[in-house]
Amino acid sequence: MAEAERIIGTPETPDAAGEGQERPDAEPEQQEQKQEQAPERTRGKRRVAVLFAVALFAYLLDLGSKMLVVAKLEHHEPIEIIGDWLRFAAIRNAGAAFGFGEAFTIIFTVIAAAVIVVIARLARKLHSLPWAIALGLLLGGALGNLTDRIFRAPGVFEGAVVDFIAPKHFAVFNLADSAIVCGGILIVILSFRGLDPDGTVHKD
């Protein structure tokens, strides 16, 4: 009998046949997890793309306007846009936005660089379109003024920012300042509404 079993062979048990292989029911679970994660990764990449697209647009708009102002308006009479209420007048600002803190140029340069690093790190967890727009505005504005700090006179990290938008009874500013303020206001609104950068909504 033993010899017959040796020749014919014994059928493999279900446990022996499946040894070293994944259970069939595990594959659908893994596939479902991958299907759920794929749209999240795609959406995250799109939001990051929006962030950098907005930042690039704001940066190029600011850079182009400053180049035009330096070439055509600096050392010339201001241009009246809306009577005395709004003028374009080129000035060099060594301080922060809207002309504050001219004695702390290097500190403002470091702060702008730190803001850029924080935004770049936060982008990895970004899944919210409004947050992408807000951070893009902040990033573009910070890069615009940081470019002036680095490359304009009187020296590296001490350069004066080019400002030219001069409303009546208000400080002179530029498009980078406007982008930073708009981005900051949008972030405050999103925070009050409980929307986080990762797309989740919380209620206090």
Side-chain angles (χ1 to χ4, degrees):
M1 186 69 179
E3 184 66 16
E5 289 179 354
R6 185 184 67 78
I7 295 174
I8 299 174
T10 56
E12 294 182 352
T13 62
D15 291 340
E19 186 177 355
Q21 299 179 2
E22 295 184 356
R23 298 195 314 272
D25 59 342
E27 293 181 0
E29 293 179 0
Q30 293 177 353
Q31 291 178 356
E32 185 176 351
Q33 291 177 354
K34 291 179 180 179
Q35 290 175 354
E36 292 176 354
Q37 292 173 357
E40 289 294 325
R41 287 194 296 266
T42 301
R43 187 175 67 171
K45 290 179 180 179
R46 289 177 179 174
R47 299 299 181 258
V48 172
V50 169
L51 186 157
F52 287 111
V54 172
L56 181 62
F57 176 77
Y59 175 74
L60 292 178
L61 193 62
D62 176 69
L63 182 63
S65 65
K66 289 174 178 175
M67 293 175 63
L68 185 62
V69 166
V70 170
K72 302 294 184 180
L73 187 58
E74 199 167 34
H75 308 303
H76 291 78
E77 290 295 323
I79 299 175
E80 293 186 353
I81 305 301
I82 308 177
D84 293 338
W85 293 98
L86 179 62
R87 301 186 304 167
F88 286 168
I91 68 168
R92 297 294 182 110
N93 171 27
F98 308 109
F100 297 113
E102 293 187 1
F104 303 98
T105 305
I106 296 180
I107 295 177
F108 293 133
T109 303
V110 173
I111 292 174
V115 168
I116 293 170
V117 172
V118 170
I119 293 175
R121 291 175 61 87
L122 188 60
R124 296 181 299 177
K125 300 179 180 180
L126 187 63
H127 288 83
S128 167
L129 180 59
W131 270 95
I133 295 173
L135 293 177
L137 290 171
L138 282 179
L139 180 59
L143 284 172
N145 284 338
L146 184 61
T147 300
D148 283 359
R149 303 287 187 198
I150 296 174
F151 296 105
R152 296 195 187 277
V156 178
F157 300 119
E158 297 181 351
V161 174
V162 176
D163 289 335
F164 63 95
I165 304 174
K168 189 176 182 179
H169 305 309
F170 196 74
V172 184
F173 58 97
N174 57 41
L175 294 181
D177 297 333
S178 301
I180 292 171
V181 171
C182 291
I185 292 174
L186 183 54
I187 287 176
V188 171
I189 294 173
L190 295 174
S191 299
F192 272 114
R193 294 184 62 182
L195 180 61
D196 293 332
D198 61 1
T200 58
V201 179
H202 68 273
K203 294 182 179 180
D204 297 332

